[in-house]
Amino acid sequence: MAKSVTHEVDAPWSEAEFRQALHSPESSYWDRHPFHQRMHDGLLDKDELRLWAANRWYYQRCLPQKDAAIVANCPLPEVRRQWLSRIVYHDGTDASDGGAEKWLRLGEAVGLRRDEVLDERLVLAGTRFAVDAYVDFARRRPWLEAAASGLTELFSPGLLAHRLGRLREHYPWIAEDGFAYFTARIEVVGPEGRSLLDLVARHAVTREQQEACVRALAFKCQVLSAVLDSLDYHTGNGAPRT
């Protein structure tokens, strides 16, 4: 008779250990990328800033699709109800508001025509590939992993305030109305991040789920870096990082 084989399963992290692990990808967040550092130092010219705004638009406009995929994959009505607000935040309750509309105003403030942004003629292949991979990840992976990938919100509050200050200081030609995305986002990203962290910590109950959530967050950081790598390479300031 064949002997049964037992496989040891790692015990789940404690909640404190899990929360700490979810902060570990912060060192690879895109605030440390050379492209963002040049932006914050006032070293981008107008064309480079416009290219950044147009490419970031592609990421912004795909976020509701990513969030809709999470809703579609989630069997828990209480989570779906909570997550719907994220779609509304980006798409708005009508065409005149929402995060996507505020980003379009930023595009106009840096000198882009709205149709140039909307038809995505300036979106680089590397940006499109990375963002599409992120949306595909949300469609194919369990809802909890896709939700955990959004925990980059934990790393955002300080960056948003820092970026807004640097943009105002170094690019005074940008009209104040163009900063509406950042001023609105600063107010909500902190509470959103804490709420999402609580949700992920509550539902990731096995070590396998916990580790998958950490990997998902690391993947999101790689997606963001890939967008900036593409911009960096296109503007002649560096080669893609390995």
Side-chain angles (χ1 to χ4, degrees), residues 15 74 111-112 118 130 140 150 167 177 193 202 208 211-212 230:
E15 183 171 336
C74 181
L112 292 167
L118 289 172
R140 294 177 181 271
L167 289 173
D177 182 61
R202 184 165 61 251
E208 182 180 13
E211 291 180 343
S230 185

Side-chain angles (χ1 to χ4, degrees), residues 170-189:
H170 296 301
Y171 309 98
W173 49 271
I174 300 176
E176 185 63 25
D177 182 61
F179 297 133
Y181 173 84
F182 295 108
T183 56
R185 191 68 184 146
I186 287 171
E187 295 180 1
V188 301
V189 70

Side-chain angles (χ1 to χ4, degrees), residues 33-83:
H33 195 282
F35 189 90
H36 272 173
Q37 291 176 353
R38 290 201 309 279
M39 178 193 294
H40 297 161
D41 291 340
L43 300 178
L44 298 187
D45 61 31
K46 290 185 177 181
D47 286 339
E48 290 171 329
L49 205 58
R50 289 167 186 153
L51 187 66
W52 164 75
N55 277 261
R56 174 69 182 267
W57 157 256
Y58 188 69
Y59 169 73
Q60 295 297 142
R61 76 95 165 154
C62 286
L63 286 177
Q65 293 174 265
K66 179 269 297 183
D67 289 325
I70 293 173
V71 171
N73 288 336
C74 181
L76 305 174
E78 63 273 20
V79 175
R80 294 198 301 266
R81 284 191 291 267
Q82 178 180 344
W83 214 266

Side-chain angles (χ1 to χ4, degrees), residues 146-233:
S149 72
L151 282 169
T152 46
E153 291 172 345
L154 296 174
F155 317 144
S156 296
L159 171 61
L160 287 172
H162 178 70
R163 174 166 300 154
L164 181 58
R166 299 292 76 74
L167 289 173
R168 283 170 169 160
E169 176 183 355
H170 296 301
Y171 309 98
W173 49 271
I174 300 176
E176 185 63 25
D177 182 61
F179 297 133
Y181 173 84
F182 295 108
T183 56
R185 191 68 184 146
I186 287 171
E187 295 180 1
V188 301
V189 70
E192 272 193 1
R194 291 189 293 272
S195 175
L196 178 53
L197 179 59
D198 290 342
L199 183 147
V200 171
R202 184 165 61 251
H203 289 278
V205 295
T206 69
R207 181 66 170 269
E208 182 180 13
Q209 288 175 320
Q210 291 171 335
E211 291 180 343
C213 287
V214 175
R215 288 195 300 270
L217 180 52
F219 169 72
K220 168 67 175 302
C221 289
Q222 292 171 341
V223 167
L224 299 178
S225 290
V227 171
L228 295 184
D229 282 347
S230 185
L231 286 165
D232 222 20
Y233 186 75

